[in-house]
Amino acid sequence: MHICFCADGYPSKELPYSAFIGVLCEELTRQGCDITVIAPQSLTKHLLRGTPLVPKRFTVSVDRGAGHKLVTVYRPYSLTFGEGLLGKITLRMNRWATERCVKKIDANFDVVYAHFWKSAYNIVNFVDKKSLPFFVASGEDVIDIHKILSSEGINIINKNVRGCICVSSKNMEESVSIGLTDDAKTVVIPNSISQKDFFLKNKFECRRNLGYSEDDFIIAFCGRFIHRKGVMRVSDAIKLIDDRKIKSIFIGSNYENEKEQPDCDGILFMGTLPHNTMVDYLNCADVFVLPTLAEGCSNSIVEAMACGLPIISSDMPFNYDILDSSNSILVDPLDVKEIANAIITLKKDEVLRSKLSKGALKKASELTIEKRASKILNFIREKCGKVE
């Protein structure tokens, strides 16, 4: 099966972001697919902010056990103007870049797979013209494409969508209510982890290697340092508890004009990490805290669960497909005192901490990239008939 995978990014040496897209494409390749990726990159950001440009075409070698196979990635240039008042222009420029690229490639695709609804908009005219099976993955924290497109544009996407893979029930309900897809076309398949990247390690060995005390209670946070993710609410909760034995790891950074920086006492690490070293820092922690306000399905939570961490996160619908009382304490994400009380509870109650850790590992074992890719391919075949 040759899949044209449309996205807004792909990890590379110059821009090591969108790791989850790379992980999925490489696993689909291991499971027998030919993958061609089209992901526009912003020339505007390069010219105005110095953001690196990646090669317009590169390949990624995937080890399939019995030899290697290549994922081919195209990163055409696009002019972008943000997502505010000029969002429509950005959308059209990304569509133009995608359509120009796919025309130049001139390949015979069996299936087109768009990662998020804005990528679906980029490629839907090509799909419509070629009458190709079209699948869209919805994992946005907030789906807002209907604020830019006309009802006619929404209908064109819906007409062409053969199937929609949603990372949460929340995304499914949102996509259907907007009119982008229908109930009969959708399936919920939560985000997943690569077990070679995120797995349980010896906590005290990881602490010794990083120079952290074995006696401290360590809280981990991973996400952008923004209000939505709740980085300052975690910092404020730690300040409210005022316990010198509580330390913290804040994995993340600001982006563009964002300025929030955690400022509680006891910060052991704050900043970005290479994807392949995050496992060591997560395994140093006793609990993972992410009081986020909006998600599709948080990759960071799934990664933390794979490292055996009990979770403190938001009592909101986007979490309900992966979190429950067996692996987490769910809180009001805006209530700093409630976040602090959940941290205190887990610090004091080792039995509960152990129970939630085991529950996290069990849930994470169901959320592997191998299982997710297999479910996606089975869904595609079910909706298409026989596509090999």
Side-chain angles (χ1 to χ4, degrees), residues 159-212:
K159 181 188 76 171
N160 282 280
V161 169
R162 187 78 61 92
C164 177
I165 298 101
C166 300
V167 299
S168 64
S169 299
K170 166 257 179 189
N171 275 77
M172 180 181 72
E173 291 165 6
E174 200 172 349
S175 297
V176 171
S177 67
I178 290 169
L180 291 161
T181 186
D182 305 317
D183 281 323
K185 298 179 183 178
T186 60
V187 65
V188 175
I189 307 176
N191 282 335
S192 60
I193 49 94
S194 167
Q195 290 179 301
K196 71 179 180 63
D197 293 328
F198 295 96
F199 52 92
L200 182 65
K201 300 180 74 172
N202 184 283
K203 176 168 67 175
F204 298 116
E205 185 178 320
C206 288
R207 290 192 181 190
R208 285 193 294 270
N209 290 340
L210 290 170
Y212 300 158

Side-chain angles (χ1 to χ4, degrees), residues 156-357:
I156 289 171
I157 291 176
N158 189 318
K159 181 188 76 171
N160 282 280
V161 169
R162 187 78 61 92
C164 177
I165 298 101
C166 300
V167 299
S168 64
S169 299
K170 166 257 179 189
N171 275 77
M172 180 181 72
E173 291 165 6
E174 200 172 349
S175 297
V176 171
S177 67
I178 290 169
L180 291 161
T181 186
D182 305 317
D183 281 323
K185 298 179 183 178
T186 60
V187 65
V188 175
I189 307 176
N191 282 335
S192 60
I193 49 94
S194 167
Q195 290 179 301
K196 71 179 180 63
D197 293 328
F198 295 96
F199 52 92
L200 182 65
K201 300 180 74 172
N202 184 283
K203 176 168 67 175
F204 298 116
E205 185 178 320
C206 288
R207 290 192 181 190
R208 285 193 294 270
N209 290 340
L210 290 170
Y212 300 158
S213 169
E214 294 186 9
D215 298 325
D216 288 329
F217 186 82
I218 299 178
I219 295 165
F221 168 95
C222 182
R224 277 169 58 185
F225 293 170
I226 54 176
H227 176 73
R228 174 173 68 84
K229 291 288 187 178
V231 66
M232 294 308 299
R233 296 189 290 280
V234 176
S235 179
D236 290 344
I238 294 171
K239 285 192 282 186
L240 185 63
I241 297 169
D242 191 23
D243 182 340
R244 286 181 296 175
K245 299 302 292 183
I246 290 181
K247 308 296 183 184
S248 54
I249 294 170
F250 289 93
I251 304 170
S253 65
N254 299 116
Y255 181 69
E256 296 182 354
N257 297 321
E258 298 161 357
K259 296 180 180 179
E260 293 192 0
Q261 290 279 319
D263 57 0
C264 55
D265 292 333
I267 296 177
L268 300 173
F269 175 85
M270 180 170 63
T272 58
L273 287 170
H275 197 67
N276 61 355
T277 64
M278 286 175 59
V279 63
D280 295 317
Y281 285 81
L282 289 173
N283 271 283
C284 284
D286 294 286
V287 61
F288 183 82
V289 186
L290 187 73
T292 175
L293 302 179
E295 298 289 333
C297 171
S298 171
N299 285 283
S300 294
I301 287 176
V302 181
E303 291 163 358
M305 287 199 295
C307 297
L309 293 184
I311 307 297
I312 297 172
S313 190
S314 313
D315 191 0
M316 297 182 74
F318 53 75
N319 272 333
Y320 295 163
D321 292 287
I322 59 172
L323 297 181
D324 55 37
S325 60
S326 72
N327 53 33
S328 64
I329 296 177
L330 298 180
V331 299
D332 177 348
L334 290 172
D335 190 331
V336 171
K337 187 174 182 180
E338 193 171 336
I339 297 166
N341 287 339
I343 293 171
I344 292 169
T345 295
L346 287 180
K347 182 176 184 292
K348 290 181 176 179
D349 193 337
E350 187 175 348
V351 173
L352 176 60
R353 206 162 66 237
S354 176
K355 173 196 167 188
L356 298 186
S357 174

